[in-house]
Amino acid sequence: MMNYFTTFVTRYISSFPLSMTGRGKIIGTEDETKNLKIKMKTRRKLGGLICALALCLALPGIYSCSDDINDSNLYTFTGDMITGYLENNDSTQMYTYLLKKVKLSRRSKSTFGDLLSARGHYTVFAPTDEAMHHLLDSIYNQKDFPVEQVDDSTAERIVRCSILDSKNGEAYSIADFNEGTMPITNADDRYMTLNFDTVNGKAVARINSDALVISPDHEMENGYVHIVDRVVLLSNAYISNIIAKAPNTKIFTLLLERTGWADKLTKYRDEEYEKNNYPEHYTGNPNWNDIIPQHRYIGYTVLLEPDSIFHEKWGIDMPIVEGGVVTNESTIMQQLEAKCKEVYTNSSDGPLTDTLNAVNQFVAYHLLPARIPYNWLVVHRTEYGFSYKNPTRLSINCDNFWETMSPAHRRMLKITEGPTTDGKRINRYSTYDRDTYSETSVGIPGIHVYAENGKYDNNALNGFYYPLDDILVYDADVPGKVLNQRIRMDVSTYYPELITNGLFIMEGQNGIYLPRGYVDYLTLNAEGTNYHYLTGYNCGWNDMYCDEHNITGQYDFTLRLPPVPYEGSWEVRLVYSYSANRGMAQLYFGTDKNNLPAQGLPIDERIQVTNPTIGWALYEDEDPELNTIRDKNMRNHGYMMGCKHEGPSTGGIVSTTLYNVTSEHRLRKIFYTGNLSPDQTYYIRFKSVLANTSTMFVLDYIEYAPKNVYNGPTPEDAW
């Protein structure tokens, strides 16, 4: 049936006439050109539909997070494909040669030239021959260096850095990009950046702040080609090394080196994970066709103050550099130590490498254990009034909470962005209207996070760094004001590996299997535990970011929780949706990971919201007083409705909230209330109590609520 349908649709889209030159430009009258562009776009989208249908109907094995691609799936077209266009373009001959030289992987006989001759959704930043000479002549110190003599590693870097594969998603025209980090990783598993500039009065795009797009949007059957005036390359330096290269970050470089953190930020790829030879596909229940990540990258994000900010805000002497050495280092470090001790009064008098040292604590609070693209520092996806297909129009403020890397004191920071924040702000403290969630007052504006460091590269092999406009410290206001609120963390952003490896809301893929050991904060206790991350790409599921975590089999797994900001009484809530195919799990909670006590009765995710044990009522009537009665009744039963902040979305404006959805309600289960301390590490264990291994347990996000929120003088807002 699949072959018949594919043949039919292929013949149908092939009936669209196209007249193209060898340079990829449409010829004909203006009206003909317009119509042909529409037809071309239609053909590409229908081609994508065929691929999507084939993926849904075929056996597992077509797509994976693998460098190797099954040669049998490379159906080659003879029409206007990317490789053919580049072959016929006189200015891209050297790049085309490398495409035909570089293999997809060590195990594959196919090249990237073969790949870009096949159907798919590729975005290619192709350098001109002049750009290739500019790079190769500088590398090999020889004018007009022959491309045929380029070594394999250099050729591979050039090719892999220049290609984006959208899988089932659409390829990108320049207009599809927003400033900042590109939405998917390139063929080298690295994030690229795009910025808009003005050259001779004309708006242009730059890739990685270097390569200028001089001829954009050549649309082919299998994607887009953008011609660039420089080879698109990414630095192979580690994050601490790339910070050291910037002339305006000398002070933070000293801090990283003297505290020992520079040496700790040097991991990149987990070779042990790959040695275990994980299969490329999940081979359990055939109803799941998940991919398994072939690589497990490790990354970091550094939030840092430039030298000028240290000087302006703290009075630290500007560095005096002679022969690459900061000659006034001793004075600078003494000044910094005095300032840090004023903030971190609980510090030790040990060396700077001691994690209890005040300077060490200061540096650690700037470090996040994930390679976070700038666009993901605050996630805008499903907030009320927002459309992720028009991401520049923000509707309401969004908070993301990130755990920093301090081993001595586990600490969180909050990054906020919305229509009133003027960019991304760290540790902003505001009040909000209970009905509209509009910002009513700002007690602490927060520290502005910049996407780039001017002309200096901030995209390292294993992470990013982002400059700040003020001094970032964990002072009394952070736990006392900034974090003294309801803290909501999507499970996906809490797992560093999903962000670092480009799996978070990955385009064109809805199922990712996370094997044992892939996520540091997750322990799979039983062999029968199958952990699936569903990206929810274009699915419109009723989840915080459209994505969700599904655990199947005779599961038994343990999740390490983020820290609370201060000791006191807290509610811990789990958020999920009910369904007949859901599971039932006993929860265990405490600080001894290997001996957690049971917490309450098992959570049964099969129970509908109308069940009397939930306490739901009066939903059809939106009268605020009646809703308040319903909410109180649900709290008495240990439940809450989903929040008003988020709603289901497939890219259009979110007009319904999780608080008001009429089906697949998101329930917040209050499963623990009691004293929690920031000095303790807490765990939740989930153990299936059903014999049926085909059911699934679903996780969306986790909430902490302090007593002043869940039992304060005014009732908790629904946002």
Side-chain angles (χ1 to χ4, degrees):
M1 180 177 179
M2 183 187 69
N3 291 336
Y4 173 81
F5 181 83
T6 303
T7 301
F8 171 79
V9 178
T10 302
R11 288 177 177 174
Y12 175 70
I13 65 174
S14 297
S15 67
F16 287 114
L18 284 177
S19 179
M20 300 284 291
T21 71
R23 293 293 180 266
K25 295 181 180 178
I26 301 173
I27 59 176
T29 67
E30 184 176 350
D31 289 340
E32 288 172 339
T33 298
K34 181 178 180 181
N35 290 333
L36 286 171
K37 284 183 177 180
I38 294 173
K39 290 176 181 178
M40 182 190 295
K41 193 76 171 180
T42 304
R43 289 181 65 177
R44 286 208 313 113
K45 289 186 175 181
L46 286 173
L49 174 62
I50 293 174
C51 292
L53 287 169
L55 285 170
C56 292
L57 298 174
L59 293 172
I62 294 180
Y63 271 108
S64 71
C65 279
S66 169
D67 290 333
D68 189 25
I69 296 179
N70 190 334
D71 293 354
S72 65
N73 294 317
L74 292 175
Y75 178 81
T76 303
F77 290 83
T78 59
D80 308 297
M81 310 303 280
I82 291 174
T83 299
Y85 168 75
L86 294 171
E87 284 177 331
N88 293 319
N89 191 325
D90 293 337
S91 67
T92 56
Q93 294 303 297
M94 295 176 70
Y95 177 68
T96 304
Y97 177 86
L98 295 186
L99 287 177
K100 295 180 178 181
K101 174 181 179 178
V102 176
K103 298 291 195 296
L104 297 176
S105 76
R106 295 174 183 175
R107 298 173 296 171
S108 176
K109 297 179 181 179
S110 300
T111 67
F112 277 90
D114 297 325
L115 180 72
L116 298 180
S117 296
R119 59 189 174 191
H121 304 277
Y122 307 106
T123 305
V124 177
F125 298 96
T128 63
D129 289 346
E130 184 179 353
M132 290 288 294
H133 277 303
H134 180 271
L135 175 70
L136 299 180
D137 293 358
S138 64
I139 291 177
Y140 296 101
N141 195 27
Q142 176 183 328
K143 184 175 176 56
D144 295 333
F145 186 84
V147 69
E148 296 81 7
Q149 296 180 26
V150 173
D151 64 272
D152 291 344
S153 61
T154 300
E156 186 166 0
R157 279 193 68 202
I158 292 172
V159 169
R160 287 188 176 276
C161 282
S162 64
I163 299 171
L164 303 179
D165 182 359
S166 295
K167 298 295 191 293
N168 298 340
E170 287 293 312
Y172 297 98
S173 69
I174 293 300
D176 293 329
F177 290 114
N178 296 293
E179 274 202 318
T181 312
M182 292 186 182
I184 60 176
T185 55
N186 61 20
D188 199 32
D189 294 328
R190 298 280 301 278
Y191 284 104
M192 296 157 60
T193 60
L194 179 142
N195 299 98
F196 292 106
D197 197 357
T198 302
V199 176
N200 297 326
K202 182 180 178 181
V204 294
R206 288 191 184 276
I207 312 302
N208 299 333
S209 301
D210 181 34
L212 179 69
V213 180
I214 57 176
S215 183
D217 299 339
H218 298 274
E219 187 174 9
M220 303 294 112
E221 286 279 1
N222 58 344
Y224 281 99
V225 174
H226 309 292
I227 307 298
V228 291
D229 72 343
R230 289 288 184 270
V231 175
V232 175
L233 285 181
L234 293 167
S235 173
N236 273 343
Y238 289 134
I239 185 64
S240 55
N241 298 123
I242 206 168
I243 292 171
K245 289 181 180 180
N248 64 339
T249 58
K250 295 301 181 184
I251 293 177
F252 206 88
T253 297
L254 290 176
L255 287 170
L256 287 172
E257 292 174 348
R258 301 302 174 258
T259 57
W261 278 107
D263 294 331
K264 297 177 182 178
L265 306 180
T266 54
K267 294 181 180 179
Y268 169 58
R269 197 155 108 176
D270 185 353
E271 300 295 343
E272 285 300 317
Y273 171 81
E274 297 186 26
K275 288 179 181 178
N276 289 327
N277 295 320
Y278 288 106
E280 292 182 4
H281 290 274
Y282 170 60
T283 56
N285 189 320
N287 292 326
W288 296 86
N289 185 25
D290 290 1
I291 63 169
I292 298 180
Q294 182 183 2
H295 305 296
R296 183 177 183 268
Y297 295 105
I298 300 164
Y300 312 95
T301 297
V302 179
L303 307 165
L304 60 79
E305 298 86 355
D307 299 336
S308 59
I309 296 299
F310 278 118
H311 180 68
E312 175 188 345
K313 302 295 183 179
W314 267 7
I316 307 300
D317 287 359
M318 289 293 289
I320 301 172
V321 182
E322 296 179 2
V325 177
V326 178
T327 60
N328 58 338
E329 174 185 341
S330 178
T331 300
I332 288 174
M333 293 306 297
Q334 289 176 9
Q335 294 171 338
L336 285 168
E337 188 167 6
K339 284 292 185 179
C340 290
K341 285 184 175 180
E342 292 177 7
V343 178
Y344 298 94
T345 56
N346 61 343
S347 61
S348 73
D349 292 326
L352 295 179
T353 54
D354 184 349
T355 56
L356 292 174
N357 179 281
V359 178
N360 198 296
Q361 291 188 54
F362 172 80
V363 174
Y365 193 58
H366 291 68
L367 311 177
L368 307 178
R371 181 179 63 175
I372 309 173
Y374 184 75
N375 300 359
W376 287 140
L377 287 173
V378 180
V379 179
H380 296 285
R381 187 73 176 177
T382 56
E383 62 263 31
Y384 184 68
F386 177 73
S387 165
Y388 67 73
K389 290 186 178 179
N390 188 14
T392 59
R393 294 185 179 180
L394 302 179
S395 56
I396 54 179
N397 286 2
C398 291
D399 297 330
N400 263 57
F401 299 88
W402 301 99
E403 182 176 352
T404 61
M405 291 184 65
S406 173
H409 299 282
R410 295 180 65 206
R411 290 171 173 147
M412 303 273 285
L413 58 80
K414 178 177 73 172
I415 306 183
T416 305
E417 185 178 39
T420 60
T421 63
D422 188 25
K424 295 175 174 61
R425 300 279 175 174
I426 300 178
N427 292 342
R428 184 179 181 88
Y429 174 58
S430 311
T431 59
Y432 292 88
D433 183 271
R434 290 181 55 83
D435 296 324
T436 64
Y437 201 69
S438 57
E439 204 171 36
T440 56
S441 68
V442 181
I444 301 174
I447 300 172
H448 189 207
V449 186
Y450 293 97
E452 56 187 24
N453 187 20
K455 63 182 180 181
Y456 309 118
D457 191 8
N458 70 328
N459 186 353
L461 178 67
N462 62 342
F464 299 93
Y465 76 85
Y466 303 112
L468 309 176
D469 74 347
D470 206 342
I471 306 294
L472 174 61
V473 295
Y474 192 83
D475 58 15
D477 280 343
V478 179
K481 294 180 180 179
V482 174
L483 299 179
N484 189 12
Q485 64 166 84
R486 178 181 52 227
I487 296 174
R488 181 178 297 151
M489 288 191 72
D490 191 278
V491 175
S492 304
T493 57
Y494 182 58
Y495 289 168
E497 292 80 6
L498 297 187
I499 302 286
T500 297
N501 289 273
L503 304 176
F504 177 56
I505 318 181
M506 187 169 73
E507 294 191 11
Q509 176 63 53
N510 287 327
I512 299 168
Y513 181 77
L514 300 180
R516 187 183 307 275
Y518 195 83
V519 175
D520 281 340
Y521 300 160
L522 173 69
T523 303
L524 306 183
N525 303 315
E527 289 294 335
T529 305
N530 300 313
Y531 198 105
H532 313 269
Y533 170 58
L534 306 184
T535 66
Y537 179 67
N538 279 347
C539 286
W541 293 331
N542 295 352
D543 295 290
M544 184 171 173
Y545 298 143
C546 296
D547 62 346
E548 66 184 27
H549 297 250
N550 268 267
I551 302 90
T552 62
Q554 199 63 45
Y555 54 82
D556 184 347
F557 64 98
T558 301
L559 172 63
R560 194 200 81 163
L561 292 178
V564 294
Y566 61 85
E567 184 167 4
S569 182
W570 293 80
E571 278 187 353
V572 186
R573 306 162 180 170
L574 293 177
V575 183
Y576 66 91
S577 66
Y578 65 84
S579 178
N581 65 348
R582 298 290 193 256
M584 184 176 181
Q586 177 63 53
L587 268 59
Y588 304 79
F589 179 79
T591 58
D592 186 349
K593 179 181 177 181
N594 299 314
N595 188 26
L596 299 172
Q599 186 65 38
L601 297 173
I603 294 180
D604 192 343
E605 294 189 337
R606 301 169 300 176
I607 296 178
Q608 297 189 23
V609 70
T610 54
N611 191 291
T613 60
I614 303 296
W616 176 90
L618 306 172
Y619 180 77
E620 296 299 333
D621 194 329
E622 288 303 312
D623 182 278
E625 292 185 6
L626 295 178
N627 282 347
T628 299
I629 295 173
R630 176 198 62 199
D631 293 346
K632 287 182 178 179
N633 191 38
M634 290 182 67
R635 279 195 59 87
N636 291 335
H637 288 76
Y639 290 91
M640 299 173 65
M641 295 293 292
C643 68
K644 290 180 70 173
H645 194 277
E646 310 293 325
S649 173
T650 55
I653 295 176
V654 178
S655 57
T656 301
T657 73
L658 297 182
Y659 185 80
N660 292 330
V661 291
T662 56
S663 63
E664 291 191 19
H665 299 82
R666 251 37 183 182
L667 293 174
R668 286 184 276 181
K669 173 60 178 175
I670 307 168
F671 88 93
Y672 176 82
T673 304
N675 188 75
L676 297 179
S677 169
D679 296 326
Q680 295 288 341
T681 301
Y682 296 94
Y683 302 88
I684 308 177
R685 178 186 176 192
F686 303 79
K687 186 176 182 180
S688 175
V689 296
L690 300 178
N692 184 357
T693 59
S694 64
T695 62
M696 63 183 75
F697 198 82
V698 175
L699 292 176
D700 187 5
Y701 62 88
I702 296 171
E703 277 186 352
Y704 286 146
K707 188 174 183 179
N708 65 286
V709 170
Y710 74 79
N711 191 25
T714 57
E716 181 179 353
D717 67 74
W719 292 92

